[in-house]
Amino acid sequence: MTARYESGQYDTIIVDCAPTGETLSLLKYPERFSTLIEKVLPLKKAGVKAVGPAVEKMTSIPMPGENVFDDIEYLMDKMQRLQGLMLNRDVVSLRVVTTPEKIVISEAKRNFTCLYLYHYNVDAIIVNHIYPEKAMEGYFGKWMKLQEEGLNEIKECFSEVPRFYVELLPEELRTLKVLREVGNSIYKDCDPDDVLFKQDIYITDQDKKCLKIYLPFAKKEELILEQDKGELSVGVKNERRRFEDGYLNIFF
């Protein structure tokens, strides 16, 4: 994706992401991988140069050559460029898709919080599969009340973020014709290529020596804050992000 963006051949690049768990893993990977390699690679490289010939002579096992480290450094550079692009809030945004059902809304909230933890910009919520009132008459009347409750919860929880609503379609959202129709409907008052919203997630107050991290929907009992030497680990439930000393400082 980075190479395609840097080529300048495209006005907009759209990535249709996998379900929440897989997407979060992919979004965390560039930061975690590049940080690990950045720390380990110089030590491994120096070690191979220092003792590699002796080990190779004693064990007859060939040691990695310079080309191996060059390939790793090339991969690390690609990861760092990808991370830099993903964190460019003037260019990249993520749009969370949900439906007006309690369990799906809860998943959207968790997704939203985890994305903010890693400083990714969520600029819109798309609410899909909204049943039209006529379809809910009679036997399905009770579902209309549940749907209204879900829509109200979305409106209240994501009040600051632009929200777009898509009614249940008579056919699958997969052909270019249907995509155009839905796109023209939900984006009629804005340009979908624009970054529609920005939220200040990490705010530092130098006077008060304070770092504020905006993590909506995170419960107090789910928050984790640990320090290991020069690193700070901030977590929400099972999601964690580490910060090195000198990058972010929190004073209590």
Side-chain angles (χ1 to χ4, degrees):
M1 187 176 74
T2 310
R4 290 176 178 172
Y5 168 74
E6 292 174 347
S7 72
Q9 297 179 351
Y10 304 93
D11 295 324
T12 303
I13 298 175
I14 300 172
V15 180
D16 186 6
C17 296
T20 304
E22 290 86 342
T23 299
L24 289 175
S25 296
L26 288 172
L27 291 173
K28 292 182 291 187
Y29 191 73
E31 178 180 287
R32 291 187 174 181
F33 181 81
S34 61
T35 300
L36 175 65
I37 295 299
E38 195 173 44
K39 292 179 179 179
V40 174
L41 186 61
L43 298 175
K44 292 291 184 182
K45 197 171 184 179
V48 168
K49 284 185 176 181
V51 302
V55 173
E56 196 172 62
K57 186 175 181 180
M58 292 174 61
T59 64
S60 298
I61 299 174
M63 293 291 103
E66 285 290 328
N67 62 310
V68 175
F69 293 106
D70 290 342
D71 289 343
I72 295 174
E73 287 177 342
Y74 172 73
L75 179 59
M76 185 176 72
D77 176 66
K78 288 186 68 175
M79 286 292 183
Q80 289 174 335
R81 282 161 48 213
L82 176 60
Q83 184 188 3
L85 172 61
M86 293 299 296
L87 294 175
N88 186 344
R89 298 157 65 82
D90 294 325
V91 174
V92 175
S93 65
L94 288 90
R95 293 173 188 175
V96 175
V97 180
T98 185
T99 64
E101 301 169 75
K102 293 289 183 181
I103 191 169
V104 185
I105 296 171
S106 296
E107 184 71 4
K109 289 180 183 179
R110 187 180 77 85
N111 192 4
F112 196 89
T113 303
C114 293
L115 290 170
Y116 269 29
L117 178 64
Y118 281 86
H119 209 207
Y120 290 114
N121 185 45
V122 179
D123 78 332
I125 304 294
I126 298 176
V127 188
N128 199 11
H129 287 179
I130 300 175
Y131 292 99
E133 290 188 19
K134 287 185 178 180
M136 305 298 283
E137 293 176 353
Y139 180 80
F140 295 100
K142 291 184 178 179
W143 283 96
M144 179 57 70
K145 182 180 179 181
L146 295 174
Q147 177 172 274
E148 288 176 358
E149 290 175 356
L151 291 172
N152 288 333
E153 183 177 354
I154 290 170
K155 183 179 179 181
E156 180 180 342
C157 293
F158 301 104
S159 59
E160 297 180 354
V161 186
R163 302 175 304 282
F164 301 99
Y165 301 90
V166 182
E167 281 196 351
L168 185 66
L169 303 170
E171 53 189 309
E172 289 189 61
L173 184 60
R174 55 184 300 176
T175 65
L176 188 58
K177 175 179 176 291
V178 178
L179 284 169
R180 279 198 181 119
E181 290 175 355
V182 173
N184 291 334
S185 173
I186 64 177
Y187 293 122
K188 59 185 176 182
D189 296 323
C190 63
D191 187 342
D193 291 344
D194 292 341
V195 176
L196 305 177
F197 176 79
K198 293 180 188 177
Q199 172 71 53
D200 291 328
I201 302 171
Y202 290 88
I203 305 171
T204 53
D205 189 329
Q206 296 295 340
D207 296 330
K208 296 182 179 179
K209 304 295 183 183
C210 175
L211 166 68
K212 294 181 179 179
I213 307 175
Y214 182 60
L215 296 174
F217 318 124
K219 298 178 182 178
K220 186 177 180 180
E221 59 269 20
E222 295 178 341
L223 295 175
I224 303 166
L225 184 62
E226 298 174 349
Q227 184 175 1
D228 180 14
K229 296 180 181 179
E231 290 188 342
L232 181 72
S233 176
V234 179
V236 181
K237 212 168 186 178
N238 296 324
E239 300 294 338
R240 290 197 181 191
R241 188 181 184 192
R242 301 183 71 85
F243 302 96
E244 292 186 23
D245 187 29
Y247 178 55
L248 290 176
N249 296 298
I250 297 179
F251 297 89
F252 300 94

